[in-house]
Amino acid sequence: MAEASEAGAAPDMAREKALVDVAKVVVTAGLTLGSVMLTAFGFIERAVGLERLATDRAFAFVALLPGAAALSFLASARALGAAYDATVPARPVSTLHRAFLRFTDLGGAFGLIAVVLSCLVAVGTLLAVSLLFDLKLPGTSNLAGGAAFIVALGGMLSRSTPGRRRSDLLLAATIFVLMILDLSTSLLRAAELLPRLS
């Protein structure tokens, strides 16, 4: 009986180890891709200005970079949180106390990287919303960035639950929809301008 339970536990442990290895790759790839996209956006923004990026339809695809970077950073945050869940046993404490313990793990390093990743998700989301609305609704952009920060940080400091997974999915879907809306409005405006120019 004991041998059967040990044999059943062995595949689970192997699966968890494989998932942690995959999570490491996702964290590294997400951070790298997100950093490259946000840096490229920053260089282009310095060259042409944020107002032109928001309004000039020639830069429609450049305007997708902040949203794509936000999704990459969110993927990194989720992968890191999943690796933590797989390797650190759940503690029988309240959700708030667990979040505090998780924040202070590794001498506070986990909490600091959680804040940094959440800030990067928030910046990418804020820029994506700003570009969608041509910088006309700064309050909405700030609210979107703040909400993205809260969802990303909460996800890193709490264990996976159905509610948390839904909020993660909602944030990712919202960022994706923002990108599609921005691109489609850019292309529609460009199509409207073409007959006038010719």
Side-chain angles (χ1 to χ4, degrees):
M1 182 83 172
E3 289 177 6
S5 64
E6 284 177 17
D12 286 342
M13 288 179 61
R15 182 178 181 274
E16 283 183 5
K17 185 183 180 311
L19 286 175
V20 169
D21 291 341
V22 170
K24 290 176 185 175
V25 174
V26 172
V27 169
T28 305
L31 283 173
T32 304
L33 286 171
S35 300
V36 167
M37 287 185 276
L38 217 49
T39 302
F41 178 82
F43 280 130
I44 297 168
E45 186 273 328
R46 280 285 198 185
V48 301
L50 194 57
E51 292 81 8
R52 189 168 173 205
L53 279 177
T55 55
D56 190 338
R57 299 307 135 193
F59 295 101
F61 287 98
V62 175
L64 295 177
L65 290 175
L71 288 174
S72 293
F73 291 131
L74 184 62
S76 289
R78 288 301 158 262
L80 192 56
Y84 187 101
D85 288 347
T87 53
V88 179
R91 292 173 265 209
V93 294
S94 69
T95 304
L96 194 60
H97 189 205
R98 185 181 295 121
F100 173 75
L101 291 172
R102 198 160 173 159
F103 190 92
T104 56
D105 273 350
L106 300 172
F110 187 84
L112 288 175
I113 197 67
V115 169
V116 169
L117 280 173
S118 301
C119 285
L120 290 169
V121 172
V123 167
T125 305
L126 187 150
L127 287 170
V129 174
S130 297
L131 292 168
L132 174 63
F133 295 118
D134 294 342
L135 311 179
K136 291 174 185 166
L137 298 173
T140 303
S141 303
N142 291 334
L143 279 174
F149 176 83
I150 290 167
V151 170
L153 185 64
M156 288 198 72
L157 297 182
S158 61
R159 292 190 76 82
S160 183
T161 62
R164 200 201 85 184
R165 286 193 294 271
R166 280 193 290 272
S167 67
D168 292 347
L169 183 61
L170 180 63
L171 176 58
T174 302
I175 294 169
F176 184 75
V177 168
L178 285 170
M179 293 166 61
I180 296 300
L181 282 174
D182 189 33
L183 182 62
S184 58
T185 54
S186 297
L187 295 176
L188 281 173
R189 287 180 192 171
E192 288 170 5
L193 287 174
L194 276 177
R196 294 178 197 168
L197 295 172
S198 57

